[in-house]
């Protein structure tokens, strides 16, 4: 019987469990060490729960904003036709119980899948031992909740420990009135007045969701606009929608401190202004879980931010040690973490592997409307990192959008001026996460605007706008070439 490669994976999120499935399939002896349950933050406290909450909010938004325009009459028992009473309400406690139930079910499904695939799952906290053995192997010490320890020998170790919410010294969450995004699912009652600090993806998603669920929301943004890292045209659309729906968006306002005063919270801004609400959600970024697990002692180099330095095949600076996911700071997306983990295993186990290519990553902001992106961005074009032409087509002109009462959003494509090869795209629309896929295929396979334009689309459909944008780019390219 031949030698079996031993792999230990510390962390059971998308980077860890996807790597485990690949390594076990390739014949390795795999152990996944995980502290909280497979799926990691993505499944237990981040992506799955937040998108489940947002799905409920989306139903509320569609009902509130579209029923009148579409001619739907709802008898809500209100005698006064001018009454501002909502037609539907939400039981947040019930919503959150469903959210947590679905997250746990998904975690159990992943555990069953990994175990069925042949990997061993250990509950505990893993620590990398500092020295590599003469045969190149390494040791990982696993400490269980009861304090007992077990030593594992590995030919390769994958660090996939993820991240956690960043905390400001003067705005510590208490889990009741001042919350981080992992604690909101314990709320039994709807926050009457929610202050969201931070206007990145997490802040914008929760602000929009709670606004739709019926809270009065104030979004505190330290930048000129919401979603400073996203396409500027998309951010303008979203901020306009937020304000139109009654959200108080405070631009260029930095929170200095947050404190609880009885059943209220006070947020003091850096210019001295004080705003109050019933609850405050802190969404000021994340920090990697890389301290206290023996990384630097083992020769794993960290950035100043605490993230692990990796190359494009997920190697760290320590031989036989790989890293994947949010702890690397490459791209805080479950899909990227999973790809990093798979690439690490393919590389170590000698399989054919393509290095990570971030220019083919599609991402989505689950606001309403959603914002989906892939490939090169407007910022890349503006900074001269790529020479590309862009056309933006408002959805307002799309017949299917008119039928559905969709007023906000657009499709934007970027293509190379000479060849017409599609290098990026932005979709702002309901379900933009589904509409971005054809553009992702185009970017990944170097398709041209001609090929997109000449592909049949259903009429009427929102995807018809993708072909229409391609036709406009095609016409522009032909005109400029003549």
């Amino acid at each position: 019987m031949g030698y079996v490669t031993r792999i230990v994976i510390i962390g059971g999120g998308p980077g860890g469990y996807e790597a485990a499935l690949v390594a076990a399939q390739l014949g390795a002896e795999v152990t996944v060490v995980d502290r909280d349950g497979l799926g990691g933050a993505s499944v237990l406290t981040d992506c799955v729960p937040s998108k489940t909450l947002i799905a409920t909010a989306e139903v509320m938004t569609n009902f509130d904003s579209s029923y009148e325009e579409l001619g739907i009459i709802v008898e809500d028992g209100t005698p006064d036709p001018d009454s501002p009473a909502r037609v539907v309400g939400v039981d947040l406690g019930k919503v959150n119980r469903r959210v947590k139930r679905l997250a746990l079910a998904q975690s159990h499904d992943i555990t069953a899948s990994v175990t069925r695939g042949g990997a061993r799952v250990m509950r505990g906290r893993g620590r990398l031992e500092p020295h590599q053995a003469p045969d190149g192997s390494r040791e990982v010490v696993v400490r269980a909740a009861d304090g007992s320890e077990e030593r594992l020998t590995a030919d390769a170790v994958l660090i996939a420990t993820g991240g956690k919410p960043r905390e400001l010294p003067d705005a510590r969450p208490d889990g009741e009135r001042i919350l981080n995004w992992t604690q909101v699912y314990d709320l039994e009652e709807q926050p009457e007045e929610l202050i969201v600090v931070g206007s990145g993806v997490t802040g914008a998603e929760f602000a929009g969701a709670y606004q739709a669920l019926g809270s009065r929301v104030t979004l505190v943004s330290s930048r000129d606009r919401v979603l400073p890292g996203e396409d500027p045209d998309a951010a303008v659309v979203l901020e306009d929608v937020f304000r139109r729906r009654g959200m108080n968006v405070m631009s260029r306002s930095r929170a200095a401190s947050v404190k609880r005063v009885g059943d209220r919270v006070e947020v003091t801004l850096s210019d001295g202004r004080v705003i109050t609400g019933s609850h405050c959600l802190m969404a000021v970024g994340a920090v990697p879980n890389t301290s206290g697990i023996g990384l630097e002692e083992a020769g794993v180099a960290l950035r100043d931010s605490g993230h692990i330095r990796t190359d494009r095949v997920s190697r760290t600076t320590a031989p036989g040690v790989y890293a994947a996911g949010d702890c690397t700071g490459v791209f805080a997306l479950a899909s990227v973490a999973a790809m990093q983990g798979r690439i690490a295993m393919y590389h170590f186990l000698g399989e054919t592997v393509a290095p990570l290519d971030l220019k083919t990553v599609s991402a989505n902001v689950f606001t309403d409307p959603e914002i989906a992106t892939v490939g090169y961005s407007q910022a890349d074009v503006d900074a001269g990192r790529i020479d590309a032409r862009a056309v933006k087509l408002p959805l307002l002109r799309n017949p299917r959008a008119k039928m559905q009462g969709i007023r906000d959003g657009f499709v934007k494509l970027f293509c190379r001026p000479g060849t017409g090869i599609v290098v990026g795209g932005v979709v702002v629309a309901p379900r933009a996460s589904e509409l971005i896929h054809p553009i992702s295929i185009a970017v990944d396979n170097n398709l041209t605007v001609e090929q997109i334009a000449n592909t049949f689309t259903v009429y009427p459909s929102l995807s018809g706008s993708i072909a229409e944008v391609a036709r406009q780019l095609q016409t522009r390219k032909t005109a400029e070439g003549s």
Side-chain angles (χ1 to χ4, degrees), residues 89-363:
V90 68
D91 180 340
L92 191 65
K94 191 172 184 179
V95 170
N96 281 337
R97 285 190 290 278
R98 176 175 181 262
V99 164
K100 290 194 277 192
R101 190 170 65 247
L102 287 175
L104 277 175
Q106 180 71 3
S107 178
H108 290 151
D109 286 349
I110 292 166
T111 304
S113 176
V114 168
T115 305
R116 197 165 53 243
R120 176 191 180 197
V121 178
M122 288 184 69
R123 181 62 69 95
R125 182 180 173 85
R127 186 182 75 249
L128 192 60
E129 289 291 81
H131 303 297
Q132 194 174 15
D135 65 356
S137 65
R138 289 189 173 274
E139 283 201 336
V140 172
V141 176
V142 181
R143 186 178 181 86
D146 62 5
S148 62
E149 291 190 348
E150 184 177 338
R151 302 182 85 84
L152 305 175
T153 303
D155 299 297
V157 176
L158 175 69
I159 310 295
T161 47
K164 60 189 175 188
R166 186 164 76 94
E167 291 187 1
L168 302 180
D170 295 320
R172 301 283 187 200
D174 63 9
E176 292 179 7
R177 295 282 169 177
I178 305 170
L179 310 157
N180 63 37
W181 69 75
T182 72
Q183 298 168 330
V184 293
Y185 311 108
D186 294 324
L187 289 174
E188 280 295 320
E189 293 182 2
Q190 181 79 22
E192 287 180 29
E193 303 162 90
L194 178 66
I195 301 167
V196 179
V197 176
S199 64
V201 172
T202 302
E205 287 183 346
F206 277 113
Y210 279 104
Q211 179 84 14
L213 291 172
S215 299
R216 290 195 298 280
V217 176
T218 297
L219 181 59
V220 179
S221 171
S222 62
R223 309 289 279 274
D224 290 341
R225 57 178 171 82
V226 300
L227 296 175
E230 298 298 316
D231 180 88
D233 291 333
V236 166
V237 169
L238 186 68
E239 188 165 329
D240 179 54
V241 169
F242 277 175
R243 291 184 193 276
R244 203 170 65 224
R245 289 179 182 161
M247 188 182 299
N248 178 20
V249 181
M250 301 181 68
S251 304
R252 295 182 294 279
S253 301
R254 185 178 294 277
S257 67
V258 182
K259 66 177 180 178
R260 183 171 170 174
V261 182
D263 284 341
R264 305 281 293 170
V265 291
E266 285 187 359
V267 178
T268 303
L269 305 180
S270 53
D271 61 6
R273 287 177 296 164
V274 177
I275 51 176
T276 65
S278 62
H279 296 77
C280 178
L281 171 62
M282 300 299 298
V284 288
V287 293
N289 294 321
T290 53
S291 61
I293 54 174
L295 296 182
E296 289 180 291
E297 297 85 343
V300 177
L302 304 181
R303 303 182 196 279
D304 292 342
S305 60
H307 292 100
I308 300 171
R309 291 185 182 276
T310 56
D311 64 12
R312 289 177 62 202
V313 290
S314 305
R315 287 179 297 192
T316 71
T317 52
V321 181
Y322 293 75
D326 289 6
C327 64
T328 67
V330 169
F331 227 142
L333 294 172
S335 57
V336 173
M339 187 64 77
Q340 287 178 290
R342 287 192 290 261
I343 286 172
M345 295 300 99
Y346 289 138
H347 183 267
F348 184 75
L349 295 168
E351 295 292 307
T352 304
V353 61
L356 185 69
D357 182 5
L358 295 177
K359 281 302 159 201
T360 62
V361 174
S362 54

Side-chain angles (χ1 to χ4, degrees), residues 20-52:
L21 290 170
V22 164
Q25 191 175 24
L26 293 174
E29 179 187 284
V30 184
T31 304
V32 183
V33 180
D34 184 79
R35 192 177 53 185
D36 303 314
L38 290 201
S42 174
V43 168
L44 294 168
T45 59
D46 195 352
C47 282
V48 170
S50 68
K51 278 44 172 184
T52 307

